[in-house]
Amino acid sequence: MLHFRQPAGTSRGVYTERRSWFVEVVEGDRRGVGECTPLPDLSCDARPDYAEVLRRFCDDVERTGRIDFEAMRDYPSMLFGLETAIQSVNSPLSTFRSPLLFDTPFSRGEVGIPINGLVWMGTYEEMLRRMEQKLADGFRCVKLKVGAIDFDRELDLVRRIRERFGPREVELRLDANGGFAFDEALYKLELLSQYAIHSIEQPIRQGQWANMAELCRDAPLPIALDEELIGVNDPEQKRQLLRIVKPAYIVLKPSLHGGMAGCREWIRLAREEGVGSWITSALESNVGLNAIAQFCSSVYGPAITIPQGLGTGQLFTDNIPMPLEIRGSQLWISRNS
């Protein structure tokens, strides 16, 4: 169980602790570890018998020596943990404390990945203070969680930020976590659009494809899908969603959206449909964050220009040591650690 330094607020509630399961693969003298971390009330595989189901999948891997991806499509957090452990144990340069999952410049500690700063929901004063701290820390892309406090105060917060920092200085992203009602969403997006917003994630709750498609068509700022992708695990259904809704972006979390294999599938289909993407963590420990960041470097290449959502390693008081560090507005792996 991991414990947050401060409560992590979203429109769905407030997290104070995080439960994770860790799987270990051993082959000779080599060990690989992976993290399985479902989000309660959000992950499609968050279930009361999670540990028992995970145990069965581990037994299958132990018996066959491989992951049955088709069987695990509907269990993304379990799949991600097993993928990570196997990828680690199969990498000749990987060690238990410093796993090198993919041989990329980032994984070798040669380049960093640009990341956004994250400002959690809270009172107006808390969010303003957190935003000022992120800017002082050197972040030039900041994501605000919105949709939980009074909208007029959230709008005022965005206005005050823009009065101090223009769009060339700070890129602003918003994440509503489905917090807007559909009949109010377009009006709110129009008000927000005057402040040069890069994009807004999931303005309304998932499962309303027709309504989301209407917003993507009519809204004056780009819309990104996040929760909308959860549970959409069949390739044809993925393509259908992208073609019907036509978002500007999709935001991918391996623990929620099909593990590494499922995210690769999403990225390929999105590119075919002209949809952009980036990758974020889903409140994993450093074990999961390390895997997600290296995976990100493997799918997007060494010259990543779009800030990714990989700055969550500082959230916990009792995180697991990994050679990850934030330098300015980039995430790095320190190979000297």
Side-chain angles (χ1 to χ4, degrees):
M1 191 76 72
L2 301 172
H3 300 87
F4 286 90
R5 294 184 185 278
Q6 59 189 27
T10 76
S11 61
R12 294 176 175 272
V14 178
Y15 294 108
T16 59
E17 58 186 21
R18 191 78 170 90
R19 190 175 188 184
S20 294
W21 284 260
F22 293 91
V23 296
E24 187 175 275
V25 174
V26 179
E27 187 172 325
D29 60 351
R30 301 187 60 78
R31 292 190 300 162
V33 64
E35 181 176 5
C36 305
T37 312
L39 279 167
D41 302 320
L42 188 60
S43 298
C44 63
D45 57 355
R47 43 192 294 162
D49 60 345
Y50 188 91
E52 290 79 7
V53 175
L54 177 58
R55 177 71 264 174
R56 289 200 296 271
F57 282 126
C58 289
D59 290 342
D60 289 342
V61 171
E62 186 175 17
R63 186 179 66 257
T64 65
R66 63 179 184 84
I67 296 173
D68 186 340
F69 291 102
E70 291 303 317
M72 296 194 70
R73 275 190 180 273
D74 294 332
Y75 303 88
S77 66
M78 301 182 199
L79 173 58
F80 174 59
L82 283 168
E83 286 176 309
T84 301
I86 290 176
Q87 186 75 23
S88 178
V89 83
N90 287 338
S91 174
L93 301 178
S94 184
T95 66
F96 189 67
R97 290 297 178 187
S98 185
L100 194 152
L101 307 179
F102 299 94
D103 191 11
T104 68
F106 169 76
S107 299
R108 295 192 299 269
E110 298 167 3
V111 300
I113 294 177
I115 61 175
N116 62 254
L118 178 60
V119 175
W120 289 98
M121 289 176 178
T123 66
Y124 175 85
E125 291 75 18
E126 287 171 338
M127 293 181 70
L128 181 59
R129 185 174 66 252
R130 292 167 188 169
M131 168 60 78
E132 289 173 340
Q133 185 60 55
K134 291 299 179 185
L135 298 175
D137 289 342
F139 286 97
R140 289 300 171 256
C141 175
V142 180
K143 184 169 81 170
L144 286 169
K145 294 276 187 176
V146 298
I149 65 174
D150 178 74
F151 177 74
D152 289 337
R153 290 176 71 77
E154 291 177 337
L155 189 66
D156 182 60
L157 178 63
V158 173
R159 177 187 61 77
R160 290 181 63 174
I161 294 166
R162 271 291 171 249
E163 286 176 350
R164 291 177 52 191
F165 302 95
R168 291 188 178 181
E169 297 172 280
V170 175
E171 179 180 283
L172 279 179
R173 297 176 181 174
L174 304 179
D175 184 359
N177 287 123
F180 296 162
F182 172 67
D183 58 358
E184 299 175 346
L186 186 58
Y187 173 68
K188 291 181 176 180
L189 296 181
E190 288 172 348
L191 292 176
L192 289 166
S193 68
Q194 63 187 309
Y195 299 112
I197 304 300
H198 171 272
S199 58
I200 183 167
E201 294 177 34
Q202 205 67 41
I204 61 175
R205 284 192 177 272
Q206 69 266 37
Q208 308 175 68
W209 287 17
N211 290 342
M212 188 67 85
E214 184 177 330
L215 286 179
C216 288
R217 184 189 69 223
D218 298 338
L221 73 165
I223 290 176
L225 302 185
D226 182 352
E227 288 91 341
E228 199 71 63
L229 312 179
I230 296 172
V232 182
N233 300 316
D234 177 76
E236 285 309 308
Q237 191 179 16
K238 291 179 180 181
R239 190 186 301 276
Q240 185 181 30
L241 171 60
L242 294 172
R243 288 182 173 177
I244 290 173
V245 178
K246 294 183 171 62
Y249 303 99
I250 57 174
V251 183
L252 296 166
K253 300 177 173 70
S255 290
L256 293 176
H257 302 134
M260 298 184 201
C263 285
R264 287 187 188 277
E265 196 170 71
W266 272 116
I267 292 168
R268 175 179 60 80
L269 293 170
R271 285 171 174 166
E272 292 174 2
E273 299 299 325
V275 175
S277 67
W278 65 84
I279 290 173
T280 81
S281 54
L283 306 182
E284 293 88 357
S285 76
N286 278 336
V287 173
L289 178 61
N290 175 67
I292 294 167
Q294 293 195 46
F295 169 69
C296 178
S297 72
S298 77
V299 293
Y300 291 137
I304 299 174
T305 57
I306 296 178
Q308 310 292 303
L310 304 175
T312 56
Q314 299 174 316
L315 292 177
F316 304 107
T317 60
D318 44 5
N319 212 331
I320 297 169
M322 280 282 160
L324 297 168
E325 59 183 68
I326 294 176
R327 305 176 193 168
S329 61
Q330 292 189 328
L331 181 69
W332 285 74
I333 287 181
S334 176
R335 284 298 163 195
N336 295 322
S337 298

